[in-house]
Amino acid sequence: MSALIAAGALAGWAGRHLLSRLRRGTAVPPGWCETGVSLAWALVALRQPPGWWLPIPLALGWLAVVLSACDLRVHRLPDALTLPAYPVAAGLLTVVAAHRPGVALGSVAGLVLLGGTYFVVRLISPPAMGAGDVKLAGVLGAVVGAVSVPAVAGVVAAAAAFTLVGASWRRAGAVAHGPAVLVPSWLVTLSWP
């Protein structure tokens, strides 16, 4: 477990430095990403998922921390992180599908449900949903759908609730929605199998 915590700190450090170098990234205070990824990976280690599932909560934990840090700082989810998440998730889910039948169908359904929901919200009310959130939603839906298609609805409900709480607490200005959808998505991956 200590090796995974140390690896998480290193991965968080790399994520923080990557964010500072991206064209649409931001500078994040030292320790934010290192601590966040270490904690996420420690929880994964405590859960002890099988080797074929392990990369999913590790990768999503890293992505959740790094994107949340950026969204909280500058209300932006960089394409340089959200778009490459699609082929990475597809590769990891292909491995999972070899061990669990039905994962591919669940992933596609999740992608359509979460990605489609966010896309429709963006079409109806562009100020209510950022373009980065829409781009991220499909990959999160694919990963959550691999666990359980009904869990996608739970993630949507949790994300909406967290965003509403954040908006009522903040009272004015934009609210970072990325963390509100990333955290429940990661928790779903942590709880399975």
Side-chain angles (χ1 to χ4, degrees):
M1 182 165 146
S2 59
L4 204 50
I5 293 170
L10 184 59
W13 176 85
R16 182 170 59 84
H17 283 276
L18 175 63
L19 274 179
S20 70
R21 286 170 175 69
L22 293 177
R23 186 177 66 81
R24 304 268 303 155
T26 187
V28 175
W32 279 27
C33 294
E34 293 87 339
T35 303
V37 177
S38 289
L39 178 59
W41 287 17
L43 292 172
V44 172
L46 285 172
R47 182 75 174 91
Q48 297 182 342
W52 50 266
W53 183 252
L54 179 65
I56 299 285
L58 291 179
L60 188 52
W62 180 86
L63 189 66
V65 169
V66 173
L67 284 177
S68 292
C70 188
D71 205 11
L72 289 168
R73 296 273 297 169
V74 293
H75 300 286
R76 186 170 49 240
L77 297 171
D79 288 350
L81 293 175
T82 58
L83 299 181
Y86 282 89
V88 170
L92 294 176
L93 289 170
T94 299
V95 172
V96 172
H99 296 274
R100 290 286 172 113
V103 162
L105 185 59
S107 290
V108 171
L111 184 147
V112 170
L113 288 172
L114 191 56
T117 300
Y118 277 44
F119 181 71
V120 168
V121 170
R122 174 83 176 161
L123 281 178
I124 293 170
S125 179
M129 183 69 60
D133 296 312
V134 176
K135 293 171 191 171
L136 177 63
V139 73
L140 294 180
V143 173
V144 172
V147 174
S148 161
V149 175
V152 175
V155 166
V156 170
F162 290 144
T163 300
L164 286 172
V165 168
S168 67
W169 180 70
R170 188 168 166 121
R171 297 182 192 242
V175 175
H177 180 71
V181 70
L182 283 158
V183 171
S185 296
W186 177 73
L187 288 173
V188 168
T189 68
L190 186 61
S191 69
W192 192 75

